[in-house]
Amino acid sequence: MNPQVPFLDLKAHHAPRRAEFLSAIGEVIDSGAFAGGPFVAKFEQDFAAFCDTPFAIGVGNGTDAIWLALLALGVGPGDEVITVPNTFMATAEAISYCGAIPVFVDIDPRTYTMNPAQIEAAISNRTRAIVPVHLFGQMADMDPILEIADRHGIPVVEDACQAHGAEYKGRKAGSMGAAGCFSFYPGKNLGAFGEGGAVVTSNEDLKQKIQALRDHGQSRKYHHSMIGWNARMDGIQGAVLRLKLEHLAENNDRRRAHARAYTQALSSVNGLITPHEAAYGRHVYHLYVIRVAERDRVLADLSDRGVQCGIHYPIPVHLQEAYQSLGYQRGSMPVAERCAEESLSLPMFPELTEEQIDLVVREVRNCVGRTGASARRTAGTAAAACTSR
Ligand SMILES: *Cc1c(COP(=O)(O)O)cnc(C)c1O
């Protein structure tokens, strides 16, 4: 059976502008500028302007963006980079691909982003960068993070892969650290027709290094001043992304409106925690993530009733098999671990209809309501534990 409310609906997202996309792709075909080139350069200009930064560098994907930003900042073998465990694996992978070691700190129990109070204890004389993740569309608490980083002379690289257009005290995601890294994976708030990513920065030296790194370390054709990689953005992605960027702000507004509707309808449900919007910023709801007890049962029940949900993420990175050698134990990041057990992502995309939202709300109320009194108490306890600071 097709789900009545899909988790994500890219067809609905692209259908209204299909002809425009085809014509933009046609231009790329006619010009032959497939790898990097003028379509990417034009998108870079527009995206830099959108992020309030002087420079944007288009790359192959979001993982490349984080990796190359860290490499350009000089992160290398034996160095340590501080980040959070409740993120997509790519944040830590990018650190590992520099030869560096990810050092995890736990998250704030309300915003699910890096807890600034945990950073200082994780800093060592090998710490070379701090990578906060603007998770689900909400920025981390950047002022205290930047204050600590500045005091120790450590650069901050923002993982803004879920936060295109999010704001912190009026400042755009990606514009506050030494570099901001974005993914244009199709399901992100700004998504390509395939893979894409970008680094934004105000630092010209960093921009030049990343431009060279993404193109085999050459600043001039066949003159390689460093060992780089092939991490260019495709011309077709540049052309499509430039078109889609025109509607990003409006689509973020629609996501926010849907989130408001969800929160209004669900915040009174016993044993359910709705997302917290920190007063410092503007959440752009890449994902709308609630927390419930018996999450896996609720997920399955909702699926049976035609509501497709997701889990972001079921296993925190410090407990992934791939990172066993780092030696983290269960219990070392209690807030992130609890969130991994309780988080449930409801359908969220700009084209959600009022009827779809009503259906999701009704079924969530049914499924969470079916929880026995004891389970509800468990959720209540979880809520208390996770909202107290
Ligand atoms: C999507 C994502 C990435 C990686 O981006 P890709 O384009 O898939 O390589 C990194 N960090 C976070 C938080 C993400 O959501």
Side-chain angles (χ1 to χ4, degrees):
M1 188 192 82
N2 275 334
Q4 289 167 285
V5 187
F7 181 64
L8 179 69
D9 192 346
L10 288 178
K11 273 192 209 161
H13 186 57
H14 293 129
R17 304 183 73 203
R18 196 165 190 278
E20 269 182 273
F21 292 132
L22 287 176
S23 136
I25 292 170
E27 269 185 64
V28 180
I29 295 174
D30 293 341
S31 78
F34 292 111
F39 295 96
V40 172
K42 280 188 197 147
F43 168 67
E44 288 172 338
Q45 249 175 21
D46 290 359
F47 192 65
F50 178 84
C51 294
D52 295 333
T53 54
F55 311 113
I57 307 103
V59 294
N61 53 63
T63 315
D64 280 352
I66 305 167
W67 177 45
L68 298 190
L70 292 172
L71 281 180
L73 284 164
V75 175
D79 292 341
E80 293 177 359
V81 175
I82 295 172
T83 191
V84 287
N86 67 326
T87 178
F88 181 55
M89 180 70 175
T91 316
E93 273 177 317
I95 295 166
S96 296
Y97 256 64
C98 297
I101 301 157
V103 173
F104 297 107
V105 297
D106 211 348
I107 52 168
D108 178 276
R110 292 196 301 171
T111 63
Y112 313 139
T113 60
M114 183 176 277
N115 184 343
Q118 307 272 332
I119 298 173
E120 204 100 43
I123 293 177
S124 80
N125 55 11
R126 295 193 298 176
T127 309
R128 292 290 174 269
I130 300 174
V131 183
V133 179
H134 304 324
L135 199 72
F136 305 150
Q138 174 155 257
M139 286 180 68
D141 192 358
M142 289 301 287
D143 277 350
I145 293 172
L146 287 168
E147 188 274 314
I148 295 163
D150 284 352
R151 189 147 38 78
H152 291 267
I154 301 168
V156 171
V157 171
E158 299 171 61
D159 181 341
C161 288
Q162 301 189 1
H164 320 67
E167 289 177 15
Y168 180 87
K169 300 181 183 174
R171 296 182 65 183
K172 281 278 177 67
S175 72
M176 296 187 72
C181 303
F182 291 87
S183 164
F184 307 119
Y185 184 77
K188 303 288 163 96
N189 286 31
L190 179 61
F193 283 5
E195 307 278 348
V199 183
V200 299
T201 183
S202 309
N203 180 327
E204 183 151 20
D205 178 54
L206 208 59
K207 176 203 79 162
Q208 277 168 2
K209 278 192 185 133
I210 295 167
Q211 279 177 333
L213 283 169
R214 75 169 166 183
D215 195 20
H216 304 289
Q218 59 189 350
S219 40
R220 193 148 59 93
K221 202 166 175 73
Y222 304 133
H223 291 70
H224 306 270
S225 54
M226 57 180 101
I227 299 171
W229 194 250
N230 178 355
R232 293 179 300 250
M233 176 182 274
D234 289 345
I236 285 179
Q237 306 310 341
V240 166
L241 286 166
R242 185 161 182 245
L243 269 183
K244 291 185 72 172
L245 179 59
E246 292 171 7
H247 293 255
L248 175 58
E250 165 198 327
N251 284 327
N252 281 345
D253 287 344
R254 290 163 81 178
R255 287 174 183 272
R256 286 179 53 75
H258 300 330
R260 240 183 340 266
Y262 273 149
T263 297
Q264 215 155 46
L266 294 175
S267 57
S268 60
V269 177
N270 204 3
L272 184 158
I273 303 171
T274 52
H276 170 73
E277 277 190 34
Y280 59 60
R282 183 180 157 84
H283 196 319
V284 293
Y285 290 98
H286 170 55
L287 294 168
Y288 186 91
V289 179
I290 61 170
R291 300 214 342 255
V292 290
E294 292 190 286
R295 187 267 321 279
D296 293 337
R297 185 208 36 91
V298 174
L299 175 81
D301 285 357
L302 283 168
S303 168
D304 288 345
R305 291 154 176 261
V307 175
Q308 205 179 58
C309 296
I311 299 176
H312 300 89
Y313 295 89
I315 305 173
V317 178
H318 70 290
L319 298 180
Q320 291 287 351
E321 191 184 342
Y323 279 123
Q324 251 176 4
S325 64
L326 294 180
Y328 288 91
Q329 305 297 319
R330 189 167 286 282
S332 57
M333 306 277 139
V335 184
E337 289 166 29
R338 177 152 238 166
C339 288
E341 285 166 17
E342 298 178 346
S343 293
L344 182 70
S345 310
L346 303 186
M348 174 54 80
F349 49 91
E351 295 73 21
L352 265 181
T353 63
E354 219 170 292
E355 291 71 32
Q356 286 177 317
I357 291 174
D358 288 347
L359 193 144
V360 173
V361 163
R362 191 165 65 242
E363 297 303 349
V364 167
R365 283 171 174 275
N366 278 335
C367 294
V368 175
R370 270 178 7 119
T371 310
S374 69
R376 212 175 295 136
R377 264 199 305 283
T378 314
T381 316
C386 286
T387 46
S388 64
R389 293 153 74 72

